[in-house]
Amino acid sequence: MTILKVRPVCAAVMLLCAHIGFSAAQTTQGAADPAAEARAEEAARAAGQQGVKAPAPAGTVATVQVTGIRSSIRSAEQIKRDAEQVVDSINADDIGKFPDRAAGDALQRIAGVQVGRDRGETNTVIIRGLPDVATTIDGNELFTGTGRRLSYQDLPVQSIAGLDVYKSATANQFEGGIAGAVNIRLRAPFDFKGYTVTGFVENRRSQVEGSEGSKKNNNPGGGLLLSKRWATGVGEMGVLVDIAYNKDSWTFPVQWVDRPDRIFSVSPDGTATRLNDDQPIAPLRAGDRLGELPNIGGIYNAGDRERGSMHAAFQWKISPSLEFSTQYLGTGYRGESEVDYILNIATWTPRLTNVVLAPQGDYCNTSQGVICPIQSANAAAAQFGGPYDWDPYTATSTWGVKERTDTHFLNFGLKYREGPLSLDTNLAFTRSDFINDTVIVDQQIPGASSSVYTYGRDGHGGYNTITTPTSGAALRDPSQFVLRGMVQNWGESRGEQAQFRTDAVYRLGGDSFITALTGGIRLSSREVSFHGGERANDLRTSVRPTPIGAFGPSFQNLVPGLDRLAGPWYTPSREFLIHQADTVRAFYGQPLGRVPDDPMRLFEQEERTATLHLGARWKAALGSIGMTGNIGGRLVKVDRKLEGNQRIGDTVTAISEDSDETNFLPNVSAVVNWTDRLQSHLSVGKTITRPEFSQLNPALSLIPPTVNAPGTGSSGNPELAPTESINSDATLEYYFKDNGFAQIALFHRDIDGYLQNFEQNETINGVNYRVNRPQNSGKGKLRGAEFGIQKFFDFLPGAWSGLGAQFNYTWIDGENQTRTSLNSGAFTTTEMVGVARQSFNFALLYEHSGWTGRLAATRRGKYVEQIAEPRFGQDRYVKESTYVDLSIGYALSKNLSLHLDAVNLTKEHYESYLGDPIRPRDIRYNPTTYGLSLRYQM
């Protein structure tokens, strides 16, 4: 479906109401009889979880009926307790009590999970420091575009019954994530009793740090869910439909300090002379010191996006032993955005004045000698070359971006249970398309002088002034600009898949060691394709026109800019670039419409997968200690065909390559019931992560150099192998009498072939490019520990009994053998990229007398983002960050509740540095968002 189809429906129903929580019977551990095992297994399959152990021996079954957030948390506890492997979950009503719009937002509430944020959304999910996460929807693989992962921001929480994060694997689970797997459980009609209507209508407003002039916009959203089940003459049936829609006007400012570039000889009087590339790196005069100066700039990212979804489900209990179901999920995204650059290339300036050089310290010791950071300097305008080429080079630029995504998922399921045999069969189809069109225009301020700083009181750089001889505020004077080049690019990605799987369980009677045999097959056919084009053009005139002179006043736009970069600046209008693109093309002497297909960007891939898994469940006892477990293996055969073009240097050749791989993934797991309330999960198994399709594509995509940026390129590597890992996990879990648990978990990963990118300089058609190519690294290790506890304080008197708390803490240590260069056989031991040593989640809960509340903090510690970044081979780090969110709700009536949400109350942002904080890199300002919603449940 598309958003255009969703919006009228949402408007017609007034975008009622809210996320719903549903009642659930919570069962404590009981006797390990076949009926109990069958009930546990059936509940697990209903939750999208394959392989749940029977309750452990001890006592009788006690059922407690609870509702709301407590019900949700307790049902998640039961999933964790009964699972054959290490798993943490979050369920529907629990999700609804957070200010989360999408699946990725909700996942950050789970122990050991961190998320990446970009443009005000959660766009990546990381389990125990690694991003290699497999995603399934009720056990079936799910993806966006040509990727292997879901874009979590596309899936609203409205459609989700629960999320399960698997940190260890069993043979019957989909392979593809060395970090773990996320299974999304969609809502189904049989989750509800009878006729149900829920919905919500909301509005959100965001505040952005770092850009004082940014506008505050209303961002509406809403959703509606209808569900009904009824008895018929041919069995019980149920139908569910839900829709969701939200619109965002977003802003995401970024201020950057580039990596070290040019080296200067700095005199004691504060003057500096740039060293050329062809001269020794040494002081020019006695008493001079060497200093390095990076370039400083920023990006004002802003845009409007719409996301809509439709989810429909049908369930039919044909007989006590047979159930048919079908689910459809369609998600759509539409966006128009701008990427407004500002830059001042002061490093090309041959002379600097008023230079402040950092005091000499360990951070000055580089691979090229003792070179300290220049913390501030003045760069006077100096003309060279043609009439409009100057140092420093001062420019603004706009990317006018229009893009859309459509993803459709359809699944047919059949469940059969008769006596000891259970069968679960699924046939699923997915298609996902992503389309992007971009037009870029640069404009320059000739004759600009600048006063810049790279390290201020808060650690980051910026501009003191940008001036010309005729303007003291050149960035806000449109007459100071002249037109530079134009770049066009577009791309269309498509991913399609048909997958079939059937899983079987045969339970054995008696008191034998083996309690059940498991097995199944999975067949998948996946096709991905991409095509696109790019072209860069410049004006062929000796005198460059002003932007307004060329296109009129509507071409220029004064954007709010960044506070530390002298505030607002003029730049080309995104509206003009998107909606009058042909006018821009004609002025630059280019044909109307998109540029032609670039053969170097074209690729098509086919991947056929056949999987067989076999296993056995077992139970044993050692005195009063009960044990259950699973042993099995997953055999996966992949045949792959890749077609495209390969470029090495100036040579272009067509490539058509067939390859295959076979992987056997054994595993063994055990649950040890030390007492009625104390248990352990133990598991050892092998997992793999396959390279992304784009990483296998050998085509070389080039972005030509411009006057303000070097040429860059990227290419895949069809020789990449899957990353392999041997995963070991052990937990000790204590479950409190009425609710809650405490846990300690240890984990270890032996990793082989982790994928890393390598940059090297290549000359193509006489032009220099920085080209990135992926390659498998050597062996690595990841080890760590988790501690978690959650509890509602029911024992407190009166209103205090509504209090509860959740806390989890993760400590990780990792290292990896990194190649010293592309195709090198030499390795060096480095930190594991993206792995934070420490992280935690904390939530204070409340539910009593119609009030619900949640104050949640999520912290991710410092981590390395890139190993050995040029010029000096220093590692780039991201500072620790803590995000605090708040959600408060009050029940106005039995069916209607009012909610206040706040996201990122601490105004936290992303901040990075190179080697030492005295060399800052990026500040990325995440918004603080406030929302008010009305939620309905009947």
Side-chain angles (χ1 to χ4, degrees):
M1 62 146 259
T2 68
I3 285 180
L4 295 178
K5 296 178 182 177
V6 173
R7 287 184 64 184
V9 177
C10 293
V13 297
M14 298 298 293
L15 297 178
L16 290 172
C17 318
H19 313 295
I20 182 174
F22 49 89
S23 300
Q26 305 305 313
T27 306
T28 60
Q29 290 185 335
D33 61 87
E37 185 177 21
R39 287 194 300 271
E41 183 180 50
E42 184 66 22
R45 282 201 302 273
Q49 175 190 354
Q50 300 169 37
V52 172
K53 75 177 183 68
T60 59
V61 174
T63 301
V64 180
Q65 188 75 19
V66 293
T67 60
I69 191 171
R70 297 172 192 240
S71 167
S72 185
I73 289 177
R74 292 184 65 180
S75 60
E77 287 178 14
Q78 201 65 36
I79 291 174
K80 176 183 182 66
R81 193 173 189 179
D82 290 345
E84 291 179 330
Q85 68 269 63
V86 181
V87 59
D88 286 287
S89 300
I90 186 170
N91 284 340
D93 199 66
D94 200 14
I95 293 171
K97 296 302 186 293
F98 283 111
D100 299 331
R101 271 188 169 178
D105 303 327
L107 281 167
Q108 68 183 305
R109 317 298 175 188
I110 295 178
V113 176
Q114 297 94 41
V115 300
R117 305 190 187 203
D118 183 50
R119 293 163 173 80
E121 293 185 310
T122 296
N123 67 328
T124 57
V125 173
I126 299 161
I127 299 177
R128 290 174 170 172
L130 296 175
D132 304 284
V133 179
T135 308
T136 56
I137 189 165
D138 292 324
N140 301 295
E141 184 184 10
L142 187 63
F143 56 86
T144 302
T146 58
R148 294 192 186 273
R149 310 286 178 259
L150 171 71
S151 293
Y152 288 96
Q153 60 269 40
D154 286 347
L155 181 60
V157 296
Q158 166 82 2
S159 303
I160 298 173
L163 298 164
D164 302 316
V165 175
Y166 292 95
K167 300 171 183 177
S168 65
T170 52
N172 57 354
Q173 285 185 304
F174 173 71
E175 75 285 348
I178 65 170
V182 174
N183 183 62
I184 299 164
R185 292 179 272 121
L186 293 178
R187 294 182 183 274
F190 289 176
D191 292 343
F192 305 94
K193 294 181 178 180
Y195 180 63
T196 301
V197 180
T198 73
F200 71 100
V201 60
E202 70 173 1
N203 186 53
R204 295 191 173 194
R205 289 175 69 88
S206 296
Q207 295 180 349
V208 178
E209 292 288 297
S211 181
E212 183 65 29
S214 293
K215 296 179 181 179
K216 299 176 179 64
N217 297 293
N218 291 314
N219 299 311
L224 176 70
L225 180 147
L226 305 172
S227 181
K228 182 172 175 57
R229 56 193 291 183
W230 63 93
T232 74
V234 290
E236 185 179 12
M237 296 184 183
V239 174
L240 177 148
V241 176
D242 74 70
I243 56 176
Y245 167 80
N246 64 72
K247 181 177 182 180
D248 280 324
S249 294
W250 56 271
T251 303
F252 186 65
V254 175
Q255 189 271 321
W256 48 264
V257 178
D258 203 0
R259 65 196 193 190
D261 188 6
R262 299 291 172 165
I263 298 174
F264 288 79
S265 182
V266 183
S267 299
D269 63 0
T271 61
T273 303
R274 191 191 75 203
L275 300 182
N276 295 323
D277 292 335
D278 58 355
Q279 65 186 110
I281 300 176
L284 297 177
R285 294 167 293 275
D288 281 11
R289 294 168 57 197
L290 293 180
E292 51 87 0
L293 181 66
N295 295 313
I296 301 165
I299 310 170
Y300 183 79
N301 298 283
D304 297 291
R305 59 181 171 232
E306 296 176 283
R307 295 191 187 277
S309 70
M310 177 177 286
H311 168 227
F314 171 72
Q315 285 181 289
W316 179 15
K317 190 75 172 179
I318 302 171
S319 70
S321 60
L322 187 64
E323 180 183 316
F324 169 79
S325 65
T326 184
Q327 296 233 28
Y328 167 78
L329 176 67
T331 62
Y333 158 74
R334 301 289 183 272
E336 290 188 2
S337 61
E338 59 196 275
V339 183
D340 299 319
Y341 274 91
I342 184 171
L343 54 133
N344 179 262
I345 310 297
T347 59
W348 293 352
T349 307
R351 301 285 187 273
L352 300 175
T353 59
N354 295 332
V355 175
V356 176
L357 196 61
Q360 191 160 323
D362 290 341
Y363 48 78
C364 297
N365 299 324
T366 75
S367 59
Q368 298 178 23
V370 179
I371 306 171
C372 294
I374 293 176
Q375 295 186 285
S376 64
N378 290 347
Q383 190 173 15
F384 71 99
Y388 293 105
D389 293 330
W390 295 79
D391 284 329
Y393 183 84
T394 304
T396 66
S397 172
T398 296
W399 299 30
V401 182
K402 185 176 182 179
E403 54 191 8
R404 73 176 191 264
T405 304
D406 292 291
T407 300
H408 306 271
F409 172 82
L410 178 64
N411 177 59
F412 301 95
L414 194 64
K415 295 179 180 179
Y416 173 80
R417 180 183 178 87
E418 186 69 38
L421 178 64
S422 296
L423 292 173
D424 188 354
T425 300
N426 286 265
L427 177 63
F429 304 91
T430 306
R431 173 169 167 171
S432 184
D433 296 270
F434 174 71
I435 299 174
N436 172 284
D437 283 277
T438 301
V439 177
I440 308 168
V441 172
D442 299 341
Q443 56 185 33
Q444 176 196 1
I445 303 178
S449 299
S450 63
S451 173
V452 300
Y453 62 98
T454 65
Y455 189 81
R457 286 177 298 176
D458 59 356
H460 271 255
Y463 303 154
N464 293 313
T465 60
I466 302 289
T467 61
T468 67
T470 59
S471 177
L475 295 174
R476 290 178 289 281
D477 185 347
S479 68
Q480 299 295 309
F481 291 89
V482 297
L483 284 173
R484 299 296 310 194
M486 176 188 71
V487 177
Q488 306 174 69
N489 70 58
W490 63 275
E492 295 189 0
S493 305
R494 173 173 294 176
E496 295 179 294
Q497 183 183 50
Q499 55 185 315
F500 170 83
R501 67 180 178 88
T502 186
D503 301 292
V505 178
Y506 189 84
R507 285 167 292 278
L508 303 176
D511 295 324
S512 60
F513 174 72
I514 302 298
T515 62
L517 301 176
T518 64
I521 60 171
R522 178 179 182 271
L523 304 174
S524 168
S525 175
R526 178 84 188 271
E527 297 181 359
V528 301
S529 64
F530 175 83
H531 68 121
E534 179 164 290
R535 178 179 294 168
N537 302 99
D538 203 350
L539 296 171
R540 298 181 180 180
T541 59
S542 58
V543 178
R544 294 182 179 274
T546 65
I548 289 178
F551 299 108
S554 63
F555 182 78
Q556 289 285 74
N557 184 35
L558 185 66
V559 298
L562 283 90
D563 301 337
R564 64 176 66 240
L565 297 178
W569 65 75
Y570 269 102
T571 192
S573 161
R574 93 165 188 234
E575 297 290 333
F576 200 104
L577 296 181
I578 292 173
H579 299 290
Q580 300 186 56
D582 281 342
T583 301
V584 179
R585 294 181 179 114
F587 185 82
Y588 279 84
Q590 297 302 305
L592 305 185
R594 286 175 167 176
V595 300
D597 269 289
D598 181 354
M600 290 308 304
R601 289 172 171 254
L602 173 69
F603 75 87
E604 295 182 354
Q605 296 184 42
E606 298 178 6
E607 190 173 86
R608 306 286 185 264
T609 304
T611 304
L612 170 68
H613 68 83
L614 296 172
R617 297 175 184 170
W618 55 270
K619 69 175 180 180
L622 184 61
S624 62
I625 299 174
M627 292 180 288
T628 59
N630 182 293
I631 186 170
R634 189 174 183 91
L635 183 65
V636 186
K637 176 71 162 57
V638 177
D639 292 297
R640 187 179 294 119
K641 182 177 183 180
L642 183 152
E643 293 184 347
N645 295 292
Q646 187 172 18
R647 183 172 200 159
I648 300 177
D650 294 335
T651 303
V652 178
T653 56
I655 184 171
S656 179
E657 184 169 307
D658 294 326
S659 62
D660 63 85
E661 62 188 51
T662 301
N663 289 281
F664 178 64
L665 309 176
N667 74 275
V668 60
S669 62
V671 182
V672 182
N673 298 106
W674 305 102
T675 69
D676 290 353
R677 297 181 189 170
L678 186 67
Q679 71 175 32
S680 292
H681 279 88
L682 309 172
S683 69
V684 179
K686 181 180 179 181
T687 63
I688 61 170
T689 294
R690 298 189 184 95
E692 295 286 345
F693 291 100
S694 59
Q695 292 176 311
L696 294 166
N697 175 28
L700 176 61
S701 176
L702 298 175
I703 300 177
T706 63
V707 70
N708 63 322
T712 59
S714 61
S715 175
N717 179 359
E719 304 301 321
L720 292 176
T723 302
E724 299 180 352
S725 178
I726 304 298
N727 296 356
S728 303
D729 294 87
T731 71
L732 184 63
E733 306 157 19
Y734 180 81
Y735 293 86
F736 301 117
K737 180 179 179 181
D738 296 319
N739 72 82
F741 69 91
Q743 169 191 274
I744 296 175
L746 303 177
F747 57 91
H748 189 281
R749 308 282 186 263
D750 283 311
I751 302 170
D752 189 10
Y754 197 69
L755 296 183
Q756 294 181 319
N757 282 323
F758 294 86
E759 180 185 296
Q760 65 180 13
N761 294 321
E762 297 185 20
T763 301
I764 300 169
N765 291 332
V767 180
N768 294 324
Y769 293 87
R770 297 174 181 171
V771 179
N772 275 287
R773 301 177 189 270
Q775 197 167 42
N776 292 102
S777 60
K779 297 182 181 299
K781 294 182 184 297
L782 189 75
R783 49 194 172 266
E786 289 176 354
F787 169 76
I789 186 170
Q790 68 179 36
K791 175 71 176 171
F792 263 99
F793 307 134
D794 298 6
F795 52 86
L796 295 176
W800 293 103
S801 64
L803 281 173
Q806 295 172 311
F807 175 77
N808 58 75
Y809 169 84
T810 304
W811 176 88
I812 305 175
D813 182 40
E815 62 183 33
N816 191 53
Q817 292 179 329
T818 298
R819 294 181 190 270
T820 56
S821 62
L822 184 69
N823 297 321
S824 169
F827 295 88
T828 182
T829 300
T830 66
E831 293 186 60
M832 187 75 75
V833 172
V835 176
R837 187 174 291 269
Q838 300 182 73
S839 62
F840 71 75
N841 297 319
F842 172 76
L844 187 64
L845 319 173
Y846 188 78
E847 186 174 53
H848 194 275
S849 302
W851 287 95
T852 61
R854 200 142 197 178
L855 181 66
T858 302
R859 181 175 180 84
R860 185 180 184 187
K862 183 184 79 170
Y863 62 92
V864 63
E865 188 175 44
Q866 181 172 332
I867 299 293
E869 184 174 273
R871 164 174 189 161
F872 300 130
Q874 297 158 317
D875 294 343
R876 184 171 75 237
Y877 290 91
V878 177
K879 290 185 178 181
E880 63 278 358
S881 59
T882 304
Y883 291 87
V884 177
D885 303 331
L886 173 68
S887 185
I888 299 174
Y890 179 70
L892 302 174
S893 69
K894 179 182 177 181
N895 304 111
L896 196 64
S897 60
L898 184 67
H899 294 258
L900 173 66
D901 297 326
V903 179
N904 191 21
L905 278 172
T906 51
K907 297 179 171 56
E908 187 62 273
H909 53 261
Y910 165 106
E911 195 169 351
S912 61
Y913 61 90
L914 196 58
D916 187 278
I918 203 168
R919 286 190 178 90
R921 290 291 267 109
D922 286 5
I923 299 180
R924 305 174 191 174
Y925 295 96
N926 291 294
T928 297
T929 301
Y930 300 94
L932 188 66
S933 62
L934 195 63
R935 306 183 181 187
Y936 177 82
Q937 173 183 344
M938 182 180 73

